[in-house]
Amino acid sequence: MRCDQTPAWQDLKVHAAKAQGFDLRTAFAQDAHRAQSLSQTAPQVFADLSKNHVDAATEALLQELARQTGLAAHRDAMFRGEHINTTEDRAVMHWLLRQPEGSLSGELAKPLAQVHATLQPMLAYAETIRSDAQITDVVNIGIGGSDLGPQMVVLALQDLVMPGKRFHFVSNVDGHELAGVLKGLKTENTLFLIASKSLTTLDTMTNARSALAWFQAQGGTDVARHFVAITTHVAAAAELGITTTFGFWDWVGGRYSLWSAIGLPVVIAIGAQGFNDLLAGAHAMDQHFQTAPLEQNLPVRMGLLDVWYRNFLHYTSRSIAPYHSALRRMPAYLQQLEMESNGKRVDRQGQALAYATSPVLWGEPGTNGQHAYFQMLHQGGDIVPLEFIAVKKPTHTLKGHHELLLANAIAQAQALMLGQTDEGGHKHFPGNRPSTFLLLDELTPCSLGALIALQEHRVFVSGAIWGINSFDQWGVELGKVLAKDIHARMASGNVAGLDASTAALLQRL
Ligand code: F6P
């Protein structure tokens, strides 16, 4: 049943009206067990949800909403390999990429065997590159899911990156980006990875062709050694003259693809063992999502909270604050994951929705954000739930820093909640501002894998409740079509039929 037609939805509306005066400070004062009951341990991740505008009654109603909308059945359909991506008639099986070899029977046994038959050569290839001292620079050319995931992970695990190898990520069709990277490179020392699920994305194809042209202009000849294509259209790589290829499948969505051959830069950076650990961490979270009761299921609790905030308390955005500078690309990664998945205005049947879906995601690492936009989080007119991501143990040995960093994270969560109400005017902080605190013991491939899979599944949960297809992205197509038209008009100068603003801009250019 569509969420807004369920009895639980109506109950939540009534509950939300009653919860108008909800105050975190009162909620803690009235419930000695609040911190505990609104905390959840999941593989590699501890979550404190207690500083959110939610209580046991809200959670119970949200759980009811999950039951009435068939969340568990939809989740199970994904894990059975059913074609839940209906508009593209595809299965959604990024989780299969982290499933241990030989662990499934029935219809999924074959695709799982293919996953491992593809993974092993990819890992072996990465190891040869790691031991090839002549290759010092790896340039990943890809955009969206073919860029953000591997880039975020390589940065996050920078302490494990093999010395002697530098990693560059070129995504933008803006030639300044590729030109800037090429400036410092030598053909004999460079490996280009052309990463594109479709191998048609204009930005990536333009950069790939320019990289090939640069390589040849510099006297490079051995394309097979210096260029790799990673795509579901392996045959199409030949058109670019690239013969070294790694494939994956149409049932891996672009923004869910870092676990596939798209993760090749990660394997070259941290090695096969590290990549296997990343997969293992994600798999542990998959199992938690599949088997933990809904009431103690972290992706479910977080996804339901997202629905509560978006549709009942009408919070329009969520800010992400990784208190770890190596996680600085996490907000960008999560933007694609959530907003491309759930930024939808129709249900799975194509019917317009009468309720909002994806919030706006944004953020920067703490403590930087504190000295920039946290002012608005504390005293602005809008309420923006903040998601902290903190790591207990640092990997550096600089004295004093990490304690200060963590103290700041906790203090911000505390300040947002408690406010400062004994002062008036400019110094008045209303408090009662919600936040979630995610904590990892250490930032390792395993914990990072679990953290990313947690985010994937919480996006699945809200998308499932909303009854939308979280796995297509038709909204990006119109801009691509129009860009082709405008591009042609730039050469011809023809502005016939354009609106006045577009025509004037084109003429100005
Ligand atoms: O245009 C959006 C999109 O299709 C994303 O979904 C995807 O991650 C990105 O472009 C790159 O696509 P590809 O990997 O096919 O080049």
Side-chain angles (χ1 to χ4, degrees):
M1 206 191 288
R2 207 167 93 172
C3 59
D4 57 342
Q5 286 151 16
T6 60
W9 190 269
Q10 299 314 318
D11 293 346
L12 279 158
K13 266 189 180 172
V14 173
H15 183 68
K18 277 197 236 143
Q20 287 290 332
F22 178 88
D23 191 285
L24 283 165
R25 292 154 289 204
T26 316
F28 274 100
Q30 288 175 348
D31 178 2
H33 302 291
R34 182 178 169 86
Q36 205 184 356
S37 58
L38 280 160
S39 290
Q40 182 67 57
T41 306
Q44 302 285 331
V45 184
F46 169 79
D48 177 3
L49 306 173
S50 66
K51 291 196 193 75
N52 279 295
H53 290 173
V54 69
D55 57 20
T58 322
E59 275 214 311
L61 286 172
L62 288 166
Q63 295 285 339
E64 198 45 45
L65 179 67
R67 275 185 280 278
Q68 290 175 14
T69 50
L71 169 67
H74 195 56
R75 174 199 62 192
D76 296 345
M78 173 173 77
F79 282 104
R80 273 197 306 274
E82 284 177 25
H83 285 207
I84 62 166
N85 176 358
T86 44
T87 59
E88 297 178 313
D89 192 18
R90 288 173 182 168
V92 172
M93 299 206 293
H94 46 277
W95 55 270
L96 193 73
L97 300 164
R98 47 229 194 188
Q99 186 76 28
E101 194 167 12
S103 60
L104 294 175
S105 56
E107 283 182 18
L108 292 173
K110 200 169 151 199
L112 180 59
Q114 283 170 350
V115 163
H116 285 274
T118 310
L119 176 64
Q120 292 317 324
M122 197 265 272
L123 297 182
Y125 172 79
E127 290 297 341
T128 64
I129 298 298
R130 282 167 67 80
S131 48
D132 185 339
Q134 216 197 346
I135 300 293
T136 55
D137 291 87
V138 178
V139 183
N140 190 81
I141 294 181
I143 197 162
S146 301
D147 166 67
L148 290 164
Q151 186 189 156
M152 182 268 287
V153 171
V154 168
L155 254 176
L157 301 174
Q158 59 194 337
D159 289 320
L160 303 178
V161 171
M162 183 177 197
K165 301 263 189 254
R166 282 182 296 270
F167 291 82
H168 314 269
F169 289 85
V170 175
S171 53
N172 201 324
V173 74
D174 181 353
H176 293 103
E177 196 169 84
L178 179 62
V181 168
L182 291 177
K183 238 183 246 167
L185 300 180
K186 292 199 180 103
T187 55
E188 62 274 26
N189 303 131
T190 305
L191 175 66
F192 290 96
L193 308 177
I194 313 301
S196 174
K197 178 178 170 181
S198 60
L199 213 61
T200 58
T201 306
L202 217 65
D203 319 59
T204 302
M205 291 300 102
T206 306
N207 280 324
R209 290 201 182 91
S210 294
L212 277 157
W214 170 87
F215 181 76
Q216 277 146 3
Q218 300 287 312
T221 50
D222 195 349
V223 171
R225 172 166 158 74
H226 293 278
F227 281 81
V228 175
I230 306 164
T231 177
T232 54
H233 294 283
V234 169
E239 284 164 36
L240 283 171
I242 300 177
T243 51
T244 310
T245 58
F246 292 97
F248 59 108
W249 303 270
D250 69 2
W251 45 256
V252 184
R255 52 193 172 274
Y256 299 87
S257 65
L258 81 92
W259 324 98
S260 72
I262 292 290
L264 182 56
V266 177
V267 198
I268 299 174
I270 65 168
Q273 185 55 53
F275 194 70
N276 279 326
D277 291 347
L278 185 83
L279 298 178
H283 177 64
M285 190 58 77
D286 293 341
Q287 288 191 305
H288 170 79
F289 180 43
Q290 264 187 290
T291 60
L294 298 189
E295 300 76 21
Q296 284 144 39
N297 192 311
L298 185 55
V300 172
R301 290 180 89 176
M302 288 174 72
L304 289 175
L305 185 59
D306 295 339
V307 172
W308 170 244
Y309 278 173
R310 193 71 188 95
N311 302 115
F312 299 96
L313 301 189
H314 307 293
Y315 301 156
T316 55
S317 86
R318 177 164 79 247
S319 188
I320 316 294
Y323 272 69
H324 196 303
S325 69
L327 292 174
R328 62 188 173 276
R329 290 298 283 166
M330 185 62 100
Y333 172 80
L334 293 178
Q335 278 175 337
Q336 187 195 14
L337 180 64
E338 186 147 348
M339 292 162 79
E340 202 176 64
S341 295
N342 286 349
K344 307 286 163 68
R345 54 172 292 284
V346 295
D347 65 16
R348 288 200 283 272
Q349 284 70 42
Q351 299 300 315
L353 300 174
Y355 46 88
T357 55
S358 175
V360 175
L361 260 68
W362 56 284
E364 283 285 327
T367 55
N368 299 27
Q370 288 175 215
H371 301 278
Y373 54 78
F374 270 43
Q375 161 66 36
M376 180 262 203
L377 301 180
H378 286 287
Q379 289 187 314
D382 291 302
I383 293 184
V384 180
L386 185 59
E387 192 157 303
F388 293 89
I389 306 175
V391 180
K392 234 158 121 178
K393 286 188 206 139
T395 49
H396 64 79
T397 52
L398 294 175
K399 287 228 177 333
H401 286 256
H402 206 64
E403 294 78 357
L404 258 182
L405 177 72
L406 293 180
N408 267 280
I410 291 175
Q412 286 297 325
Q414 190 189 26
L416 284 163
M417 171 171 76
L418 297 181
Q420 181 172 273
T421 49
D422 50 353
E423 295 263 9
H426 300 287
K427 292 187 179 164
H428 180 84
F429 288 63
N432 196 30
R433 304 264 157 144
S435 66
T436 291
F437 206 98
L438 300 180
L439 186 61
L440 311 180
D441 275 346
E442 283 179 83
L443 188 56
T444 61
C446 186
S447 68
L448 183 62
L451 177 67
I452 301 168
L454 165 65
Q455 298 287 354
E456 288 179 346
H457 295 323
R458 68 100 68 97
V459 168
F460 178 95
V461 169
S462 53
I465 300 291
W466 287 324
I468 58 181
N469 180 358
S470 301
F471 300 99
D472 61 11
Q473 55 284 320
W474 298 105
V476 298
E477 295 306 321
L478 177 62
K480 292 183 190 174
V481 173
L482 294 187
K484 269 192 195 150
D485 173 58
I486 298 287
H487 189 228
R489 288 172 184 270
M490 285 183 102
S492 68
N494 176 14
V495 296
L498 292 178
D499 65 86
S501 163
T502 308
L505 281 173
L506 205 52
Q507 275 165 340
R508 191 170 278 272
L509 287 176

